[in-house]
Amino acid sequence: MQTGTVLIVDDNKSVLTSLELLLEDEFERVETASNPNSILSVLDTMPVDLVILDMNFSAGVNTGNEGLFWLRRIQEIAPELPVIMLTAYGDVELAVKALKSGAVDFILKPWDNEVLLEKIHAALQAVEREKVKQKTDRNRPDRPAEPAMIIGHSAVMMKLIKVVTKVAKTDANILITGENGTGKEMLAREIHRLSLRSRREMINVDMGAVSESLFESELFGHEKGAFTDARESRPGKFEAASGSTLFLDEIGNLPVGLQAKLLAALQNREVTRLGSNRKIPIDIRLIAATNRDLPELVKQSLFREDLYYRINTIQIEIPPLRNRREDIPLFIDYFLKKYTALYNQPGLTIHPQAAAKLERYNWPGNIRELQHTIEKAVILAEKNVIRAADLFIRPGKSVSFSDTPNLGEVERKTIEAAITQNDGNLTAAAEQLGVSRQTLYNKLKRFNL
């Protein structure tokens, strides 16, 4: 039996009775309320460990606004109290809105008892992890904090980080989209840093670099002797990320044949190592990223629709740097300080004309290209100031995005530009693009370049 008290709030008496019967063996105390106005008095008179809250209370109304209103009121009184939302209308967008507003999870009526119990226990375990984390932090005041992501101060990024702050504390699956170099991995790290799982390291997997023959071994692990050269048992990335965050980068590059295996692991929340029949339960928070147009790939039968919806509870799109130019001076200053310290160039500054040149440039490679440009300028600077002539950028060769039909075309043009700028040197082009050489080969094959 789970210690503590659960509060169930729903105007349907049969729902209250069903949930009370289901949870009376799970909690020491089950409180029910058919009127949401009772919530405040219950919270004021007894400690509550979890709330299950309906989203609609008025007959004929299914907007969810009532539930969202009471969710906010609960957060004002007890900000750490986990709330699971109930909705009878199967409106996933409405449920996602509740997650963005601070609910830890949602479930649709009619519910599956096992799924509901799983969500309840997951929410309570997350609260316990946070309590342990806070206690540990108090006992280790000298623990260095992980640096926050450099976000920028543009309106679009302020809106983005507001969403991130809300969803980070949940275990909702997140899909990050955006062009190459926009900082998708950095945003994933920021979400993990703000999450209840931040005490453990986030595990990264570059899906574009995982070969089909090693996919299962890499993600699910293997036992000794499972294949040639398997000299010892080894856990996969899913096991390594259990209790933490698993970041699947470039998920749009995963071949269709492997997508079903990934989907099964995510749905069942368990993996089986190669060479074994033992199922290993996993507890991960999934963040995926891609620069490809997944809905278009779904239409072309190149990406499974069920996998797309599984990884896409919350979608966050990072805008390209050219669409938030007011953030460029912030990044210039940040990278200049970083590389002058790294390369022992104290006192090195940037001339206003050079800064203006950087602000005018289209940045097809986004933040990553800006970072490399400033790093090169710091390394090659001969005096104590970086001038416009010291910046190795080619505005005339910028990739044009004005008539780009989709992200796939953007990616292809960016790769072509990088190869041209590096005179066909694929190693240098891969480095400029910020991907592995194998990933670049996979992309060249996909785009027939």
Side-chain angles (χ1 to χ4, degrees):
M1 176 183 288
Q2 177 75 44
T3 60
T5 301
V6 61
L7 171 62
I8 309 166
V9 189
D10 196 298
D11 61 332
N12 189 319
K13 295 293 179 66
S14 62
V15 169
L16 294 178
T17 302
S18 298
L19 288 175
E20 188 175 19
L21 290 172
L22 173 65
L23 299 178
E24 63 182 6
D25 292 330
E26 300 289 327
F27 288 84
E28 289 180 342
R29 184 170 184 172
V30 178
E31 289 291 322
T32 62
S34 59
N35 189 327
N37 291 303
S38 303
I39 293 175
L40 303 185
S41 61
V42 173
L43 296 181
D44 191 48
T45 55
M46 69 181 68
V48 175
D49 298 281
L50 181 133
V51 177
I52 299 176
L53 177 65
D54 192 19
M55 296 202 71
N56 299 289
F57 294 92
S58 299
V61 176
N62 60 1
T63 63
N65 290 334
E66 292 172 290
L68 294 175
F69 169 81
W70 287 107
L71 172 62
R72 287 191 292 269
R73 294 292 287 125
I74 292 171
Q75 291 173 326
E76 291 170 5
I77 299 169
E80 302 302 324
L81 180 60
V83 180
I84 295 178
M85 307 300 291
L86 277 173
T87 177
Y89 300 95
D91 190 337
V92 175
E93 289 187 5
L94 180 59
V96 169
K97 188 176 180 181
L99 290 178
K100 291 181 178 180
S101 298
V104 297
D105 215 327
F106 68 89
I107 194 157
L108 305 177
K109 301 176 185 175
W111 61 84
D112 181 294
N113 285 345
E114 291 185 3
V115 173
L116 177 57
L117 291 174
E118 181 182 15
K119 289 176 180 287
I120 289 173
H121 291 307
L124 293 170
Q125 288 169 7
V127 171
E128 287 303 312
R129 285 197 299 267
E130 178 62 10
K131 289 179 180 178
V132 172
K133 174 180 179 296
Q134 292 177 355
K135 182 177 180 181
T136 304
D137 286 346
R138 285 195 297 268
N139 295 333
R140 299 177 59 188
D142 57 342
R143 177 180 179 268
E146 183 180 345
M149 176 185 179
I150 302 300
I151 298 294
H153 49 238
S154 59
V156 65
M157 292 306 291
M158 289 296 96
K159 183 177 179 181
L160 182 149
I161 201 60
K162 186 176 180 181
V163 173
V164 166
T165 304
K166 288 183 177 180
V167 303
K169 299 294 185 183
T170 75
D171 273 346
N173 293 339
I174 295 177
L175 175 64
I176 304 174
T177 58
E179 296 174 7
N180 276 333
T182 50
K184 295 187 289 295
E185 182 179 347
M186 287 297 296
L187 183 59
R189 291 191 178 280
E190 180 69 2
I191 294 170
H192 176 68
R193 186 184 71 84
L194 296 172
S195 76
L196 302 179
R197 298 171 176 258
S198 60
R199 292 296 300 175
R200 298 194 59 186
E201 181 183 2
M202 183 179 82
I203 302 299
N204 291 24
V205 183
D206 182 352
M207 304 302 283
V210 179
S211 66
E212 294 193 35
S213 59
L214 295 177
F215 175 84
E216 289 187 78
S217 173
E218 185 72 16
L219 268 69
F220 308 144
H222 62 258
E223 297 292 346
K224 181 179 179 180
F227 53 85
T228 305
D229 294 331
R231 298 185 177 88
E232 59 183 7
S233 298
R234 187 175 70 86
K237 298 296 187 182
F238 271 89
E239 282 185 72
S242 193
S244 185
T245 302
L246 179 64
F247 176 54
L248 301 182
D249 198 6
E250 299 194 39
I251 195 168
N253 295 336
L254 185 64
V256 177
L258 301 179
Q259 292 174 20
K261 297 179 180 180
L262 175 61
L263 178 63
L266 295 175
Q267 285 180 331
N268 300 328
R269 302 189 71 80
E270 61 184 21
V271 296
T272 303
R273 292 184 184 181
L274 282 177
S276 171
N277 293 321
R278 182 171 66 92
K279 297 183 184 299
I280 302 173
I282 53 168
D283 170 27
I284 65 163
R285 197 274 179 81
L286 179 71
I287 303 178
T290 184
N291 60 356
R292 306 190 67 185
D293 186 346
L294 293 189
E296 181 61 30
L297 294 182
V298 170
K299 291 180 182 178
Q300 298 174 16
S301 298
L302 296 176
F303 200 88
R304 291 179 63 109
E305 186 175 22
D306 46 5
L307 177 59
Y308 173 65
Y309 288 117
R310 171 65 60 173
I311 66 176
N312 190 26
T313 304
I314 305 288
Q315 180 172 341
I316 301 174
E317 182 169 4
I318 306 180
L321 190 56
R322 64 185 175 278
N323 289 349
R324 51 184 182 113
R325 292 185 181 275
E326 59 267 48
D327 290 336
I328 293 178
L330 178 67
F331 287 106
I332 293 173
D333 182 63
Y334 172 77
F335 291 131
L336 186 62
K337 289 178 180 177
K338 175 180 178 178
Y339 290 115
T340 52
L342 180 63
Y343 296 113
N344 194 26
Q345 294 270 35
L348 182 64
T349 61
I350 186 165
H351 193 278
Q353 290 183 352
K357 181 178 180 180
L358 293 173
E359 292 177 33
R360 290 193 304 268
Y361 185 54
N362 206 34
W363 298 114
N366 292 293
I367 298 171
R368 186 183 295 127
E369 184 183 3
L370 173 59
Q371 176 181 355
H372 292 330
T373 298
I374 294 178
E375 182 180 14
K376 291 175 187 176
V378 170
I379 293 172
L380 300 176
E382 296 182 356
K383 298 182 180 180
N384 62 350
V385 61
I386 297 174
R387 300 188 178 276
D390 299 326
L391 299 172
F392 294 89
I393 56 178
R394 306 179 187 182
K397 292 184 178 292
S398 297
V399 180
S400 172
F401 292 87
S402 59
D403 57 352
T404 303
N406 55 53
L407 286 176
E409 183 67 13
V410 170
E411 185 178 11
R412 184 182 67 80
K413 289 185 177 181
T414 303
I415 292 172
E416 288 179 335
I419 293 175
T420 300
Q421 291 173 15
N422 289 281
D423 299 321
N425 187 323
L426 297 184
T427 299
E431 182 178 351
Q432 178 178 330
L433 292 167
V435 299
S436 67
R437 186 181 175 93
Q438 181 61 50
T439 298
L440 180 58
Y441 282 144
N442 292 341
K443 293 179 182 295
L444 292 176
K445 182 179 179 180
R446 189 174 77 245
F447 292 122
N448 295 318
L449 293 177

